[in-house]
């Protein structure tokens, strides 16, 4: 095997992968903002989810890309695990379209390249240019396939290659070869294309090709597993479901191929077209396993939950848990992932407020380690979310996503400020303990009354932000509470000044008391801002 043969093979693979990526990018730019709506509408049940997976994957020509997208959607909270299972199974069927196209003996490469080049050269509108990129990518895919086929032809006479192909007739070896090649290439469409190119030269038997093909279905799971690193447990489970589906399918079909004349049946159906033989068994594998496992989706979900189980509460990680920069190419998903990070930040802030008040009233035996760590996480999330919001605002967003991204700037700032005031409350509690300052029972009751009102405000405001529904009733309750907090703060401050004047309270006590009033009142102001960050649907304006 000469150096030029290797170079030709690698060049063909590069063109093939470039074609898939270019086509996918063009499709995401053309339909990215519609993808979220599509999945929301079409995943109401497992069957519709399966059809959605078939449709999306048949269009973008990559089950890996679809599955990564699904993992991102689950991580962003747009899909439940039960919905995602159907989409993942459908994606396995949709990816067979590539191998089917490659098995047709027509010169698609020049046709698609010509259409794509014309659209890119003369198209003025974004839609035409996106179509040009899609067509050019599809054309490059076929050019790469033809180049690989030409490079594979001389390999028939290379003894090392022939020995390797002979070894692939062993089921375990064949499955491992398919899995490793696909894991390295990171594209099942590309690895199946390579297999079709090898089969077209007559250098490998259909029986061995089938074992390799089954392994390729396992290898394609690597992309989704890598995409799930650093995501939520539910997103990891979605990637595990993808792996379980293909492992079970590989085991079932490997056994069937060993005990039944499956290869002979495929040759009878497909004729002598080796590429079509590969495409046909690919279709049969994925369609059969989807029909068998789709009714068993709840069992797969339970098995995935057992494998990726719920851990006991761990410290908040100093990283983004829901956002993945790899999904910037689908702006609606990026916005929703950042929104989930804001959910997380709001929950941490709420926890810190509760802890700070508990610590103020009874600091004995309470460690500040978790509180301080969570405050660092709040500052980290504020900086990271803000930075990514700036980046995502530069993408092509729908009006709704644009409003959401804009409002989140204000939300994270208010949450961060609430976190700072919680730190102030902890400092006041420390000073109180250091100075051994005792408040009267009445002063403690007053602080508790104000704290309860602020806690109610904060909880309601966070729920409004999470739901993104400007319920005038709940918003009205927050506004009313904020006014009551202001009035009560003034009254309590005046009463406490009188106590200091009448020497019923020391000046030091008075200063700490007023500091508490001020911090609680400021937290209420920021909670009011949170409730006002949600868009008014009736008037299409913002409350803030």
């Amino acid at each position: 095997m000469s150096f030029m043969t290797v170079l030709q093979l690698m060049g063909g693979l590069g063109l093939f992968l470039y074609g898939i990526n270019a086509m996918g990018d063009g499709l995401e730019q053309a339909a990215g903002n519609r993808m979220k709506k599509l999945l929301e509408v079409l995943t109401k049940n497992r069957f519709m989810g399966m059809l959605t997976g078939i449709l999306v994957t048949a269009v973008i020509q990559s089950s890996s890309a679809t599955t990564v997208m699904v993992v991102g959607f689950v991580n962003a909270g747009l899909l439940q695990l039960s919905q995602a299972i159907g989409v993942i199974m459908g994606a396995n069927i949709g990816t067979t379209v590539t191998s089917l196209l490659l098995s047709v003996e027509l010169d698609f490469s020049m046709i698609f390249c010509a259409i794509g080049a014309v659209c890119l050269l003369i198209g003025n509108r974004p839609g035409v240019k996106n179509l040009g990129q899609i067509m050019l990518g599809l054309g490059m895919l076929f050019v790469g396939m033809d180049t690989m086929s030409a490079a594979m032809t001389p390999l028939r006479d290379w003894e090392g290659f022939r020995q390797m192909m002979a070894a692939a007739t062993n089921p375990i070896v064949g499955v491992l070869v398919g899995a490793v090649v696909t894991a390295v290439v990171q594209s099942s469409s590309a690895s199946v294309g390579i297999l079709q190119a090898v089969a077209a030269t007559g250098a490998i038997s259909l029986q061995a090709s089938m074992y390799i093909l089954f392994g390729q279905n396992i290898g394609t799971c690597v992309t989704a597993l890598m995409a799930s690193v650093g995501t939520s447990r539910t997103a990891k489970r979605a990637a595990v479901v993808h792996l379980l589906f293909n492992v079970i399918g590989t085991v079932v079909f490997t056994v069937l191929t060993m005990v039944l004349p499956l290869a002979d049946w495929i040759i009878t159906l497909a004729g002598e077209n080796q590429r079509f033989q590969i495409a046909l068994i690919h279709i049969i594998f994925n369609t059969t396993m989807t029909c068998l496992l789709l009714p068993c989706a709840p069992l797969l979900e339970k098995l995935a939950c057992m494998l990726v189980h719920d851990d006991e509460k761990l410290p908040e990680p100093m990283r983004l848990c829901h956002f993945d920069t790899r999904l910037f190419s689908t702006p609606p998903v990026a916005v929703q992932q950042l929104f989930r990070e804001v959910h997380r930040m709001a929950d941490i802030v709420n926890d810190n407020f509760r802890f700070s008040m508990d610590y103020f009233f009874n600091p004995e035996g309470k460690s500040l380690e978790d509180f301080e760590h969570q405050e660092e996480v709040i500052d980290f999330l504020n900086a990271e979310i803000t930075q990514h919001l700036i980046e995502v605002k530069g993408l092509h967003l729908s009006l709704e996503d644009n409003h959401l991204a804009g409002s989140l700037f204000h939300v994270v700032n208010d949450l961060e400020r609430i976190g700072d005031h919680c730190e102030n409350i902890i400092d006041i509690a420390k000073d109180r303990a250091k100075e051994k300052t005792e408040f009267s029972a009445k002063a403690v009751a007053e602080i508790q009354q104000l704290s309860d009102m602020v806690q109610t405000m904060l909880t309601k405001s966070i729920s409004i932000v999470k739901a993104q529904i400007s319920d005038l009733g709940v918003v009205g309750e927050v506004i009313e509470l904020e006014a009551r907090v202001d009035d009560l703060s003034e009254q309590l401050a005046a009463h406490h000044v009188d106590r200091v004047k009448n020497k019923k309270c020391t000046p030091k006590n008075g200063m700490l008391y007023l500091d508490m009033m001020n911090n609680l009142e400021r937290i209420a102001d920021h909670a009011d801002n949170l409730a006002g960050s949600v868009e008014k649907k009736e008037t299409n304006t913002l409350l803030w």
Side-chain angles (χ1 to χ4, degrees), residues 170-425:
N170 180 298
I172 296 176
V173 174
V175 169
L176 287 175
V177 168
V180 171
V181 170
T182 308
V184 171
V185 176
Q186 294 276 297
S187 170
S188 61
S189 296
S191 62
V192 172
I194 294 171
L195 181 60
Q196 286 179 298
V198 175
T201 67
I204 184 172
S205 67
L206 178 59
Q207 184 93 352
S209 298
M210 289 164 63
Y211 294 137
I212 293 173
L213 179 68
F214 302 152
Q216 287 172 334
N217 284 278
I218 296 177
T220 193
C221 299
V222 171
T223 308
L225 291 171
M226 289 173 61
S228 70
V229 174
T231 61
S232 65
R233 282 190 296 273
T234 308
K236 289 185 175 71
R237 288 166 182 165
V240 168
V241 166
H242 187 215
L243 178 63
L244 289 172
F245 175 91
N246 287 296
V247 168
I248 293 171
T250 296
V251 171
V252 169
F253 267 81
T254 298
V255 172
L256 288 177
T257 303
M258 292 170 65
V259 300
L260 296 174
L262 195 56
D264 294 337
W265 296 346
I266 294 299
I267 293 172
T268 301
L269 292 172
E272 297 302 317
N273 185 337
Q274 293 94 336
R275 291 184 181 180
F276 185 53
Q277 292 169 4
I278 302 294
L280 185 59
I281 188 60
H282 198 200
I283 293 170
I284 292 173
F285 175 95
N286 287 294
T287 303
T288 302
M289 293 313 303
T290 297
C291 291
L292 289 175
L293 294 180
L294 189 62
C296 304
L299 294 177
L300 283 178
E301 184 177 353
K302 288 181 181 178
L303 184 55
C305 290
M306 290 172 58
L307 294 173
V308 185
H309 53 81
D310 292 314
D311 297 321
E312 57 186 64
K313 186 173 175 58
L314 299 173
E316 282 290 338
M318 191 73 70
R319 58 178 170 80
L320 296 178
C321 294
H322 304 287
F323 181 73
D324 186 349
T325 55
R326 290 170 289 192
L327 288 172
F328 259 135
S329 57
T330 309
V333 183
V335 172
Q336 291 300 319
Q337 287 184 322
L338 288 173
F339 190 31
R340 283 292 300 279
E341 294 293 351
V342 173
H343 284 210
R344 176 184 165 216
M345 183 178 179
D347 290 337
I348 297 172
V349 168
N350 207 8
D351 287 344
N352 268 17
F353 176 69
R354 287 196 180 96
F355 179 87
S356 66
M357 293 311 306
D358 287 344
Y359 188 84
F360 175 82
F361 291 118
N362 184 22
E364 295 298 326
K366 289 185 173 67
S367 170
L368 291 174
E369 184 178 351
D370 286 345
F371 174 89
E372 291 168 349
H373 171 71
Q374 294 202 150
E375 174 55 28
E376 291 177 0
V377 174
I378 291 169
D379 291 339
F380 170 82
L381 290 176
N382 177 47
E384 288 294 310
I385 293 172
T386 300
Q387 177 60 39
H388 289 304
L389 282 172
I390 292 171
E391 295 171 2
V392 84
K393 284 283 282 183
L395 304 176
H396 181 63
L397 299 175
S398 65
L399 183 62
E400 180 182 354
D401 286 333
N402 193 53
H403 280 311
L404 176 59
S407 70
L408 293 183
F409 280 107
H410 300 267
V411 170
V412 295
N413 180 65
D414 282 304
L415 289 173
E416 194 274 336
R417 294 298 298 132
I418 292 172
D420 290 343
H421 288 294
C422 293
E423 272 195 299
N424 294 343
I425 292 172

Side-chain angles (χ1 to χ4, degrees), residues 450-514:
L450 190 61
S451 170
D452 290 343
M453 292 173 64
V454 173
Q455 179 64 75
T456 301
M457 271 191 74
L458 184 57
T459 300
K460 287 180 179 293
S461 295
I462 288 174
S463 68
I464 291 170
V465 170
K466 287 183 176 181
Q468 282 296 294
I469 298 176
S470 182
D471 186 318
L472 296 181
V474 180
V475 173
E477 292 175 11
V478 172
I479 293 172
E480 181 185 353
L481 278 169
E482 203 275 333
R484 287 172 56 193
V485 167
D486 286 344
D487 292 341
L488 184 60
S489 296
E490 291 181 9
Q491 293 173 17
L492 296 181
H495 292 164
H496 203 70
V497 169
D498 289 339
R499 286 197 290 268
V500 173
K501 285 182 180 179
N502 295 327
K503 297 185 178 180
K504 294 180 180 180
C505 180
T506 66
K508 179 64 176 177
N509 278 14
M511 185 174 67
L512 293 177
Y513 181 92
L514 292 176

